[in-house]
Amino acid sequence: MSRCYTIKYISYHFFWGYHVKFSAIDLFSGAGGVSEALKKHFDIKCAVEFDKIIASTYALNHGSDHLLVKDIRKVKKKKWNKINKKLNGSNLDLLVATPPCQGFSRHSRKKSVTNSDDRNKLIMQVIRVAKIYQPNYILFENVDNIVNFKIFHIFLSLLTNLSAEGHKKDLKRPSYHLRFEVVDAVNYGVPQHRKRMILIGKKINEFPNTHAIIKESVKGIPYVTNPLPLWPITEKAPTIRKHLEPYNLSKLEAGGADEKDKLHRCRNLSPDNLVRIQATPQNGGSRSDWKEEQLSLECHKKSNVSFGDVYGRMNFDSYAPTITCGCLAYTKGRFGHPEEDRAISMREAALIQTFPYHYKFTGKSGGNANEGSTENIATQIGNAVPVKLAQSLVDLIYNELIKETQTGLFPKQLVAQT
């Protein structure tokens, strides 16, 4: 049986066989990619996910006791305060927020200036929750294009909560020293080119603080006067070949499935698309390599057509493109298998997103692993934060919290090692 003690000071990461556990909340948790990274060092007090099917996948992997399946906008303060009691009077250590990104995407049909997608307003819930929990750190992830939206600029101003002189604007809300940058997941151990805007915020405890003030460039892009000096070390990812090699995945035909690995199954191809992929050179070939003109769609014959990656193959000796919700469709991107005449499987997509092999996915509400809609599972995989990217960020914040704990700033729980 595990035992927990609260102590005033902790001098070491591990203390007499016990491990320091910090507290975290995972907003917009999705299928649980960030929670998978959190659970080694953090006690997840609450995870919030609106979609019941996606929440079912989360529950399969992380349990449901701390899971709140509800529209975050409808979670009342009384409920947040009830969860707050689990902290025993301490501030929350880490608030994670990965809100829906579709409205901020470059692929949105509305231009950034005029886009009023209601989902974009969800980022303001982070401000609301931060006011209640006063977390020591905030970790936020979204698409790179979010920096072009006025609502994100407002979000930054509210999160920083500083006047031009470096004092708190709103005394009831915490203030944060921020650093936000666009990163490519391939530089953090993920075998996939995936650009995302990452924000790390550390609570300001001493004022005035003029380093953390938000300003705007001549182009109207916000920046921090002196960004928070905290960022993970880069780690170049292995190629797709090296990343997948240890799993020894079986070969499949289009529409095939592995009898032993139910997640290793792929979509069928129409007769025309089977001919197309057979005409596409292995390891990186694309539709521009087709020698027979009749293979090309009429819409692709126009000179101003982009999306050159559709009907393309991945390259085993390079990196995958961004894994999207349409990652199982040969027609929706460079999602053709590098060598086999098929699109990638759900298993391959999940592994490229760096989910561990044991991770379970379900495509229906309350379903068991591998049950329900394949499209629902693909959406969960494509929308997830790659686990290794999340891990690099979570470990960074964890190590900072350890340093602060060693100074005696925050009393923490000790949890027996297993």
Side-chain angles (χ1 to χ4, degrees), residues 241-249:
R241 187 188 303 277
K242 289 183 178 179
H243 182 69
L244 295 181
E245 203 168 37
Y247 301 101
N248 196 28
L249 300 177

Side-chain angles (χ1 to χ4, degrees), residues 341-353:
D341 295 333
R342 60 174 177 86
I344 61 170
S345 70
M346 289 188 292
R347 171 63 70 195
E348 289 159 338
L351 290 174
I352 290 171
Q353 279 281 64

Side-chain angles (χ1 to χ4, degrees), residues 99-116:
C101 62
Q102 291 83 355
F104 296 118
S105 172
R106 295 181 191 277
H107 300 305
S108 173
R109 295 187 180 183
K110 297 180 180 179
K111 293 182 179 179
S112 298
V113 177
T114 58
N115 195 332
S116 58

Side-chain angles (χ1 to χ4, degrees), residues 27 38 60 64 83 92 108 121 137 195 211 264-265 268 301 361 376 378 401 415:
L27 304 181
L38 283 170
L60 281 176
S64 58
I83 297 168
L92 181 71
S108 173
K121 298 175 185 176
Y137 285 88
K195 289 189 175 181
H211 297 291
H264 188 37
R265 64 179 190 265
N268 205 354
K301 295 177 182 179
F361 294 90
N376 285 342
L401 285 165
V415 181

Side-chain angles (χ1 to χ4, degrees), residues 183-202:
V183 304
D184 189 338
V186 78
N187 294 318
Y188 296 90
V190 181
Q192 166 195 177
H193 285 296
R194 189 183 189 91
K195 289 189 175 181
R196 286 296 185 269
M197 199 287 302
I198 302 296
L199 178 149
I200 298 174
K202 181 178 181 179

Side-chain angles (χ1 to χ4, degrees), residues 76-93:
K76 296 182 179 179
K77 187 176 180 180
K78 183 178 180 181
K79 180 65 176 178
W80 288 125
N81 288 337
K82 184 177 180 181
I83 297 168
N84 202 11
K85 291 180 180 179
K86 297 179 183 179
L87 297 172
N88 298 319
S90 298
N91 286 345
L92 181 71
D93 290 305

Side-chain angles (χ1 to χ4, degrees), residues 131 258 355:
K131 181 178 179 180
D258 188 309
F355 279 100

